[in-house]
Amino acid sequence: MVERETWATRVGFILAAIGSAVGLGNIWRFPFQTASSGGSAFLAVYLLAVVVIGIPALLAEFVIGRRTHLDAINAFKRLGRSQWLFVGALGIVGSFWTLSYYSVVGGWVIRYVVGSLNGNALVAPGDYFGAVSAGPEAVAFHAAFMLITVVIVALGIERGIELATKFMVPSIVVLLLGLAVFAATLPGAGQGYEFLFSFEPGAIASNASTVIPAAVGQALFSLSVGFSVMITYASYIGKDDNLFTDGVTIAVSNTFVGVLAGLVVLPLLATQTGNPGEGGPGAVFVAIPTALANLPLGRVVGVVFFLVVLIAALSSSISLLEAVTSYLVDQGLSRVPTAAGLGAIIFLLGVPSAWDTAWLSWFDGIAVALFLPITVLLVVVFVGWVMGRDAMDELRQGMGSDGIAPLWLWALRTVVLLAVIGVVALNLYDLFLTPEKGVYIVPPL
């Protein structure tokens, strides 16, 4: 029997988990979701969701993974709850589904690295994005991104994922900090900060059905909760790791990068358009090149920026593919052909999103509005009420104090459970009972 892989170091696990969280969900998705969902109102709900739902749910997935040391499906079997296998399977399907369109956006980033290098992306950013975001070129770069993802996952945990993320995560933070400083010097940047931080409680109440699901969905998406990713990653760690400390470190790091990305993109939107509320999936790909076009070293900065965005995208995409690959590897299949075969299938599933951005929006809506919250709800119920004290005992291992574990279990059974039920109900209401808003139910024709 082949020995199962593990992380070489605890730092490697933390950086890989941060890398999974700190990806396009922060640098691409967070700014445009903030811009299109009310700015400060969205940010307030997002931060609350990270603390109330995100961290407890993240720890729940950690508990399942470390207790079983198996993939997200077989973990439930080892726990003696085979009837719950579908929960891990649903998360893996969510990873598979999400990576199909996530890879398309990753392909855009590759295209922008090239476009910044030759200067084409900086000439007319809006027109450039419209030209490269869909069609044959988008399909080709989608394929290139998937190929890079497959190669890293095929190399394994220590030589592939851990080695890559030890370089990726620090690079992302350093460059974003530099760009945030640059954005702060631009005229009109204050409008972006005001949009992000001028909190009005009434804005949440008046737009609750839009802001709350969007913010909670973003919190889950950016933490990689609900994809079975964190179950998979935690299955490679030892019993002496402090899961609570690791979980909080990952959540804080992820949130910091998301807000930092907002401090880059929203001021740039305010500077270029006068309205930071003008978001959309292309916000990063239009605002950044527009600002860089005015810099003497715009091409160089553009290449470096989009290269780091590419690194961020890869740090998440490898975790999504690993969640699926891990299951088949645990069944005895060889890692390299498994990763390659899954990559090919995911590429084909993503072709519609590469061909038409309307499909990409539809895939994203299904993932964030249905797959994520429903999977998180099921994980919360399972860990809180089925595992119960066993889950609490697992969290205690590696901790210097016993006080947090009972509080976490109580919160999981009550506050977190009720909050996730509320989010699922809002999403279902939004999608099925408000036809004018439920654009995700019917695929674009």
Side-chain angles (χ1 to χ4, degrees):
M1 182 177 179
V2 178
E3 185 178 354
R4 199 168 191 267
E5 294 181 273
T6 60
W7 303 107
T9 63
R10 181 184 179 189
V11 171
F13 159 65
I14 293 174
L15 287 177
I18 291 174
S20 175
V22 176
L24 286 179
N26 295 86
I27 301 176
W28 165 63
R29 203 175 188 280
F30 180 85
F32 88 73
Q33 284 289 333
T34 304
S36 59
S37 301
S40 60
F42 175 88
L43 178 62
V45 178
Y46 167 77
L47 294 176
L48 183 63
V50 168
V51 174
V52 174
I53 301 176
I55 294 177
L58 181 64
L59 294 176
E61 293 204 1
F62 279 178
V63 162
I64 295 173
R66 189 177 69 174
R67 191 167 184 84
T68 61
H69 294 294
L70 279 175
D71 60 87
I73 294 179
N74 285 309
F76 292 91
K77 186 182 295 184
R78 177 163 288 183
L79 290 170
R81 305 289 180 174
S82 296
Q83 66 271 32
W84 287 82
L85 289 176
F86 74 96
V87 178
L90 184 62
I92 286 177
V93 170
S95 288
F96 200 87
W97 179 276
T98 301
L99 184 53
S100 71
Y101 72 85
Y102 193 98
S103 175
V104 174
V105 181
W108 296 351
V109 181
I110 297 177
R111 190 69 181 89
Y112 268 76
V113 172
V114 177
S116 298
L117 187 62
N118 59 30
N120 292 338
L122 309 183
V123 176
D127 294 339
Y128 186 82
F129 177 73
V132 306
S133 60
E137 282 192 29
V139 173
F141 282 95
H142 161 47
F145 183 86
M146 272 308 308
L147 179 61
I148 299 171
T149 302
V150 166
V151 169
I152 295 173
V153 172
L155 288 172
I157 299 301
E158 185 177 342
R159 294 186 301 114
I161 298 173
E162 182 171 353
L163 185 63
T165 51
K166 280 183 176 179
F167 161 77
M168 292 173 176
V169 174
S171 300
I172 295 166
V173 175
V174 169
L175 190 73
L176 277 179
L177 282 171
L179 202 61
V181 172
F182 159 72
T185 66
L186 299 176
Q191 288 181 278
Y193 300 139
E194 184 178 357
F195 181 75
L196 187 60
F197 295 120
S198 295
F199 177 60
E200 295 181 9
I204 297 177
S206 60
N207 299 285
S209 63
T210 300
V211 173
I212 293 177
V216 174
Q218 176 61 26
L220 299 178
F221 186 97
S222 65
L223 283 172
S224 294
V225 175
F227 292 119
S228 291
V229 165
M230 294 307 178
I231 294 178
T232 303
Y233 273 14
S235 73
Y236 297 119
I237 63 177
K239 293 293 185 181
D240 58 342
D241 282 9
N242 188 323
L243 293 183
F244 178 77
T245 300
D246 292 352
V248 171
T249 300
I250 292 161
V252 170
S253 301
N254 169 72
T255 303
F256 170 73
V257 173
V259 175
L260 188 59
L263 291 176
V264 173
V265 176
L266 294 177
L268 287 172
L269 281 173
T271 299
Q272 301 304 323
T273 67
N275 181 11
E278 292 184 0
V284 167
F285 299 96
V286 176
I288 298 294
T290 300
L292 295 179
N294 300 320
L295 288 176
L297 298 176
R299 288 191 187 185
V300 175
V301 177
V303 170
V304 175
F305 174 77
F306 284 108
L307 186 59
V308 173
V309 178
L310 175 60
I311 293 170
L314 286 168
S315 69
S316 288
S317 68
I318 58 181
S319 69
L320 294 172
L321 182 56
E322 176 60 24
V324 189
T325 302
S326 175
Y327 168 67
L328 295 177
V329 170
D330 282 348
Q331 306 310 302
L333 298 182
S334 176
R335 174 173 283 272
V336 174
T338 297
L342 289 171
I345 296 171
I346 292 171
F347 163 73
L348 292 175
L349 181 62
V351 168
S353 296
W355 199 260
D356 188 339
T357 55
W359 276 100
L360 189 148
S361 295
W362 181 76
F363 269 80
D364 182 57
I366 294 295
V368 176
L370 293 179
F371 278 126
L372 264 68
I374 290 175
T375 303
V376 170
L377 174 60
L378 293 170
V379 168
V380 167
V381 171
F382 178 80
V383 175
W385 290 100
V386 179
M387 288 187 70
R389 294 190 64 85
D390 288 341
M392 184 173 64
D393 292 340
E394 183 64 35
L395 185 65
R396 279 195 178 113
Q397 296 193 46
M399 294 176 62
S401 171
D402 292 339
I404 294 174
L407 178 61
W408 164 76
L409 182 61
W410 173 83
L412 205 66
R413 287 175 163 179
T414 56
V415 178
V416 179
L417 178 60
L418 291 174
V420 178
I421 288 174
V423 170
V424 170
L426 279 174
N427 282 346
L428 294 178
Y429 174 82
D430 193 41
L431 292 175
F432 291 102
L433 298 181
T434 55
E436 71 280 3
K437 293 169 65 181
V439 296
Y440 296 128
I441 294 304
V442 181
L445 300 177

